[in-house]
Amino acid sequence: MKVYPGKSILKEIAIGRIQFHSKEEHTVSRESISDTKQEWERYLKAKEQAADELNTLYEKALKEVGETGAAIFEVHGMMLDDDDFNDSVKNIIEAQEVNAEYAVASTGDNFSQMFAQMDDEYFQARSADIKDIAERVVRILLGKHKEQNTDNEPFILVAEDLAPSETVQMDKSKLLGFVTELGSSNSHTAILARTMNIPALIGIPVSEEMDGMLAIIDGVEGKMILEPDAAVLEEYRKKKAESEKRKVLLQQLKGKEDITLDGKKIRLYANIGGIGDVASVLSNDADGIGLFRSEFLYLEKETYPTEEEQFQAYRTVVETMGKKKVIIRTLDIGADKQADYFQLGHEDNPAMGYRAIRICLDRPEIFKTQLRAILMASAYGNVGIMYPMIISVEEVIRAKQYLEEAKAQLDQRGIRYGEVEQGIMIETPASVMISGQLAKEVDFFSIGTNDLTQYTLAIDRQNAKLDNIYDSHHPAVLEMIRMTVENGHKENCWVGICGELGADTTLTETFLKMGVDELSVSPGRVLPIREIIRNTRINP
Ligand code: PEP
Ligand code: MG
């Protein structure tokens, strides 16, 4: 038995076998062969298996994340059948009398380079797909048939690091928890873990040898126990059972109102990253969605999601939520949320760089495509729009103008849309300081305490070394929240918190006393917060 201290992302326990997640890269050697016909046959067989795998992945993704997320596997299937790709593999095998692995890897490299150099952004983005396809066929040819995450047993995922885009594509139904060596507790991968209610630890030295071992994630004390002995295993099974019992007790709060002892109704909403999270919003009985991080729709794709794809995703969420509010945050890409096809380029200081509303105002076609999709979805329910990373009144005015242009475009096309509330995220000290003026422009504020802490304390939220001083309880952050509420209310603007601090039950009472109107938290935190709201008196 070995104990590894780490930093906890969610105060829960997980017990299970480890699956080590390594970035798959296969070394391919060039071998001379005499029977080129047989080598070509080997390729055709491997190609057939790759097509089967892609089909299975497509079906699975369709069920879990819908058409938008699944489409990529369909595209891969089509590319695998591409005549030019197949002719090239054949030529290399026959002309150079080499093994199929080498021919596929070379073709993959050549084609992906060719695509990367094209002017058209769509084709540039295909470069990564070609590499993926070639990798898949090479893996099969090398006899490494097993796909990761296809075992039926639930598992604890252990990896050196996980990008938000990798996390969003994972099979959540089998994921008991995850452990990484790198990453910070405020990164988007960590936030996704909380949204999915998955116990997770970071800062643990990991190695491939851990694969298959039994492990316990203790998110309460922040440690991983590898190969626990029988007594420890039993102790944790009991702890887990107790925590399950508490969850059952909380279930009794379902259907109850979010109302304080002195009668103030609080909007208790949930945060989501995509369609897949809506089920847990409903099962935890949130009264709406206070933050739909729309950028994950972009991160799971290899190129810009179209207006139609976005509309389908937003409509699904909005329809599923019925009359309940769904606040869609416009694209907040940049910093740790990178998609290659945006070609954002290298930045020395990306957290303070070209991101979020700055990109949207600079690339209006991308922005207006999203705004039209949101507006179209608003015809099906109760939608709000909010703009991230605001620092000036001018940005808000411009964003609102683009929304008007998007409406005019829909009017021209005869497409209907509903009334949408407009709000902004308060996540920069600048927006707090001018919140009195900003409040005149919008219907609501949503305080993003993750970034607000980062910019107020000048501490990079991604920097694991500074995790211990990244303190959202800092008096400066709390005072900023108080100021924002006060200034918002003077202009009849309702004010919520959608950053991770909103779920901190040690502060719920403080926030309610400050006058906060809405708390938007990861779905698993809704009922614990409801319990506090119902037991709090705001006025003495
Ligand atoms: C925040 O900054 O608090 C927030 C909610 O946005 P994100 O974490 O996605 O940056
Ligand atoms: Mg933010």
Side-chain angles (χ1 to χ4, degrees):
M1 181 171 100
K2 245 179 154 178
V3 180
Y4 298 84
K7 181 123 192 151
S8 170
I9 300 299
L10 186 85
K11 288 190 167 60
E12 296 275 355
I13 289 166
I15 305 172
R17 298 232 163 246
I18 288 177
Q19 190 171 100
F20 192 83
H21 172 84
S22 50
K23 305 231 180 283
E24 280 201 69
E25 266 176 37
H26 305 291
T27 21
V28 171
S29 52
R30 184 182 199 276
E31 283 164 30
S32 299
I33 47 110
S34 46
D35 193 345
T36 54
K37 199 161 161 256
Q38 191 192 340
E39 211 53 21
W40 174 241
E41 296 288 325
R42 273 186 71 226
Y43 168 70
L44 290 180
K45 244 175 110 186
K47 178 169 138 356
E48 208 173 295
Q49 187 179 330
D52 282 349
E53 283 184 9
L54 287 167
N55 247 334
T56 313
L57 279 174
Y58 175 79
E59 295 297 335
K60 180 159 108 21
L62 197 62
K63 273 193 226 125
E64 287 171 4
V65 289
E67 186 73 45
T68 320
I72 187 62
F73 300 115
E74 205 176 21
V75 173
H76 279 199
M78 279 166 3
M79 286 176 151
L80 193 61
D81 265 338
D82 180 73
D83 284 344
D84 291 337
F85 186 88
N86 286 297
D87 287 349
S88 165
V89 174
K90 195 166 193 213
N91 281 340
I92 294 176
I93 292 177
E94 287 174 354
Q96 301 184 33
E97 297 189 340
V98 287
N99 52 331
E101 289 85 340
Y102 179 80
V104 176
S106 305
T107 303
D109 285 350
N110 296 343
F111 275 61
S112 73
Q113 263 181 39
M114 181 177 80
F115 276 104
Q117 281 160 14
M118 288 186 175
D119 284 338
D120 186 305
E121 282 184 16
Y122 176 81
F123 286 112
Q124 282 170 5
R126 299 284 70 77
S127 166
D129 292 322
I130 294 277
K131 265 202 166 140
D132 249 34
I133 294 162
E135 267 278 314
R136 180 176 296 281
V137 180
V138 166
R139 173 178 54 74
I140 295 169
L141 282 165
L142 287 171
K144 299 186 177 173
H145 291 230
K146 197 172 141 284
E147 276 273 301
Q148 281 195 327
N149 302 354
T150 53
D151 284 351
N152 276 331
E153 284 292 300
F155 59 91
I156 289 176
L157 188 114
V158 170
E160 199 165 302
D161 199 7
L162 283 173
S165 52
E166 285 177 299
T167 318
V168 85
Q169 286 175 42
M170 254 170 220
D171 176 358
K172 283 112 191 159
S173 63
K174 303 274 161 41
L175 198 60
L176 295 169
F178 65 74
V179 174
T180 64
E181 184 156 345
L182 307 175
S184 82
S185 52
N186 309 294
S187 67
H188 283 91
T189 294
I191 289 172
L192 277 169
R194 281 184 214 116
T195 307
M196 301 181 308
N197 214 22
I198 288 174
L201 294 171
I202 54 168
I204 304 247
V206 303
S207 80
E208 209 155 349
E209 274 107 67
M210 291 176 175
D211 195 54
M213 289 186 182
L214 185 66
I216 297 172
I217 293 181
D218 179 348
V220 183
E221 289 189 16
K223 60 187 179 195
M224 175 172 87
I225 305 167
L226 203 59
E227 298 287 29
D229 60 35
V232 171
L233 191 58
E234 187 49 31
E235 178 195 331
Y236 274 93
R237 286 207 170 118
K238 275 197 190 131
K239 280 190 186 173
K240 195 159 166 50
E242 272 161 31
S243 123
E244 295 301 326
K245 231 195 253 165
R246 159 132 178 91
K247 280 188 201 153
V248 172
L249 278 179
L250 282 172
Q251 297 298 309
Q252 294 170 359
L253 288 168
K254 280 192 184 173
K256 301 250 162 82
E257 275 198 303
D258 298 302
I259 200 152
T260 62
L261 287 174
D262 41 356
K264 175 165 176 180
K265 170 95 178 92
I266 305 296
R267 299 167 189 246
L268 182 53
Y269 293 168
N271 297 344
I272 64 164
I275 301 174
D277 300 324
V278 180
S280 98
V281 173
L282 292 176
S283 67
N284 284 286
D285 197 33
D287 211 23
I289 290 170
L291 167 63
F292 180 170
R293 288 183 163 95
S294 69
E295 54 276 8
F296 289 112
L297 283 180
Y298 294 70
L299 290 179
E300 66 187 19
K301 299 258 313 166
E302 303 289 325
T303 187
Y304 299 101
T306 61
E307 177 187 292
E308 179 62 21
E309 284 169 335
Q310 292 191 61
F311 163 57
Q312 293 299 349
Y314 302 143
R315 190 180 83 167
T316 306
V317 174
V318 170
E319 274 186 344
T320 314
M321 292 298 292
K323 291 199 177 77
K324 293 179 174 179
K325 184 129 215 143
V326 177
I327 298 177
I328 302 172
R329 172 174 76 184
T330 59
L331 180 65
D332 186 16
I333 206 133
D336 65 324
K337 289 178 283 197
Q338 292 284 338
D340 289 348
Y341 59 88
F342 270 84
Q343 299 194 305
L344 298 180
H346 171 79
E347 288 180 300
D348 283 342
N349 211 343
M352 297 201 187
Y354 188 56
R355 54 177 298 193
I357 196 73
R358 299 169 189 178
I359 296 178
C360 288
L361 296 179
D362 192 43
R363 300 183 182 181
E365 284 321 311
I366 297 175
F367 192 34
K368 280 196 279 182
T369 302
Q370 178 173 40
L371 293 175
R372 286 193 304 271
I374 298 175
L375 284 169
M376 283 156 69
S378 71
Y380 297 82
N382 183 356
V383 171
I385 297 185
M386 74 177 166
Y387 308 109
M389 283 292 294
I390 293 294
I391 57 165
S392 69
V393 174
E394 197 217 338
E395 281 172 340
V396 183
I397 290 173
R398 286 184 61 204
K400 284 167 58 184
Q401 271 165 358
Y402 282 128
L403 187 72
E404 289 312 307
E405 284 175 32
K407 283 182 185 170
Q409 288 169 336
L410 292 183
D411 288 340
Q412 260 181 4
R413 282 156 54 186
I415 296 177
R416 66 196 178 96
Y417 48 85
E419 286 284 319
V420 290
E421 267 197 324
Q422 286 185 82
I424 56 168
M425 295 210 43
I426 298 286
E427 47 189 348
T428 61
S431 62
V432 175
M433 299 313 286
I434 59 166
S435 50
Q437 295 167 54
L438 290 168
K440 294 188 203 314
E441 298 295 333
V442 291
D443 303 306
F444 66 92
F445 286 158
S446 187
I447 306 175
T449 50
N450 310 334
D451 277 317
L452 187 59
T453 304
Q454 154 164 270
Y455 298 120
T456 303
L457 305 185
I459 292 178
D460 179 358
R461 63 192 266 194
Q462 294 291 115
N463 190 333
K465 271 197 219 124
L466 303 175
D467 243 14
N468 56 339
I469 55 166
Y470 174 98
D471 175 19
S472 295
H473 286 224
H474 192 292
V477 177
L478 297 181
E479 176 57 15
M480 293 230 179
I481 296 173
R482 197 203 55 74
M483 255 180 89
T484 304
V485 176
E486 186 177 271
N487 287 337
H489 284 179
K490 278 186 197 150
E491 299 294 339
N492 283 329
C493 192
W494 63 264
V495 183
I497 299 177
C498 65
E500 297 295 289
L501 198 64
D504 187 332
T505 43
T506 64
L507 285 172
T508 310
E509 189 177 336
T510 308
F511 292 148
L512 296 178
K513 287 186 170 160
M514 282 179 182
V516 166
D517 306 290
E518 177 233 31
L519 290 168
S520 189
V521 299
S522 50
R525 304 293 293 158
V526 167
L527 295 176
I529 304 264
R530 174 166 299 162
E531 191 176 32
I532 302 181
I533 292 175
R534 293 175 59 82
N535 286 304
T536 298
R537 182 174 299 281
I538 300 176
N539 298 304

